[in-house]
Amino acid sequence: MTRSTGLGIFEGIVDRVIVLSLPKATERRERLPQHLAEFGITCFDWHDAFSPEDPEVQELYNMDLVADFPPCFRCGKERCDCENNTLIPAQVANFASHMDIWKTVSERSEKTLVLEDDVFFHPWAGRVAYQILKRIKKNRLEFSAQTEMLLRLGWARSRDHRPFRWFRTSTKCRMSNPCYALTPAFADKLLTSFTRMDTTSDIFLHIVVANNSNSLTIQPPMASELSWSEGSLASYIHPKANRLEYLAQQGRLEDKEEHERRLRQHVQYVFSRPILCIGHPRTGTGYVAEICKRAGLDVGHEKGGRDGISSWMFAVDAEENPWALDQIARTRRALRWQLMIQTVRDPETAIPSIIRENRHAPASYAFRRAHILEQTGFDLNCFETDIEKAVASLCLWSQIIRKQKPSFLFRIERDAEELIDFLRSKGFVASKEDLDIGPINSEKLYQGVHYEKPKISEAEWGILGKDCRNFLTEYCDLYGYTNPLLAI
């Protein structure tokens, strides 16, 4: 009796089975051994996948081996309709993980079956494996360690996955990362073909390197995967909407709510706009958008325009902005820009407006407080009075922006023509003919209610604490405003 090697239905086809899996993927690692055992596969090696934070992945970025956006890595355009137009860190980590496997395979004279940990084998997999082995034995399918060959065995569930289809091989490409077999020679070709990460692992493997002479697609597919096709496992790259239905059916409502948040905050499409305008709330982001509009440019206020966006929330890389009028305004993490314009305002007129904002727009205050605390160490709640909270918010938010080295500083009281000159110097066609406009959104409503701005007395300016005095003095010195403290 021949002793079992634990390769199950792949006995005689491959010499080794490797499962790519993140160490943290507990649910996947608990499921898979039992599932593989149903097909006689009891001998396999876990290959720890890289996460985006791992040194091996960061080194790729440090060595400039990862293509950035723009352009789209799929179609090569700056603006397109591709669903995913930028390589996100999780995709880079996935590519690096597969490369690590290819290196392992190339160093050993073993034909290897590579599985991702959400693989699902279908009942007809044994029949398909038998047909593969029969053709290998009859030399009708060349799959030896010395030959460059890739076998595509399983991909996202589709019409291909039907139990009664005739066995056949073709050269038609299928993205088979969930289940593929390769020879050491093919693994070596993958490694020598790599120069830079400018696409995903599946495109590189199955389209860039594989061709009609060194790859075969096996029909019907033996396997599919659970994260993309079924939603019964969460995807670690792009979250899938079909998981919501699965979680609802399972009664896992808290998990469903968390997955909805993940879907909402996930960035898989990046927008490219030349102009980004940022500032503190009530310091002119709406005004600068209107100036650009009057000059003939399309810069949206808290929404995207053809030429850019103006939003105070885009001063920071938040996962989700409290007010976003379209998809572009949702998060700065999904935007690439060329020019950053910072708006500033005279603190004597800005502070009363900010006090009103803090009182009647709690989401705005909470958003600023969280990011100011994270980036500067100051907690707005530790300032005792409304005026101190407003001064600290204005000055510390401006400090956060200054560190990003804006391309142009726009003092809303007097720099309209200088802004147009700057934009013209950068190649924009902009007019100065209609720039004489009054305040924008000065009588802002809060949940439909108008509140008067508070009056600030000299006495209130005079009782500012030491930190706020220093913040305000620095702000006025840097931006050329008269310090209200000097009038006391």
Side-chain angles (χ1 to χ4, degrees), residues 12 38 63 116 165 205 207 230 244 289-290 298 315 323 347 352 376 392 408 418 425 458 469 479:
E38 295 171 8
M63 296 177 65
E116 292 186 335
R165 300 193 68 170
L205 171 59
I207 296 179
E230 313 293 337
L244 294 175
E290 181 64 21
D298 182 12
W323 295 280
T376 72
F408 185 83
E418 288 80 356
S425 74
E458 288 186 3
R469 284 177 169 272
Y479 300 135

Side-chain angles (χ1 to χ4, degrees), residues 90-161:
Q91 287 173 309
V92 175
N94 175 268
F95 197 142
S97 301
H98 277 279
M99 281 187 62
D100 201 43
I101 288 180
W102 302 336
K103 183 174 184 294
T104 298
V105 175
S106 71
E107 293 170 349
R108 303 173 63 166
S109 59
E110 295 176 324
K111 298 170 291 180
T112 302
L113 175 70
V114 179
L115 306 174
E116 292 186 335
D117 59 3
D118 62 342
V119 70
F120 177 80
F121 282 102
H122 293 275
W124 58 87
R127 173 173 62 86
V128 175
Y130 171 77
Q131 294 295 335
I132 294 173
L133 180 60
K134 185 167 73 172
R135 282 160 176 75
I136 290 174
K137 288 182 175 179
K138 292 184 177 181
N139 295 320
R140 292 168 55 192
L141 195 163
E142 180 61 44
F143 193 65
S144 63
Q146 296 75 33
T147 304
E148 288 182 6
M149 182 55 64
L150 167 72
L151 300 181
R152 303 183 184 94
L153 303 173
W155 48 90
R157 194 159 189 171
S158 65
R159 294 179 60 188
D160 295 333
H161 292 76

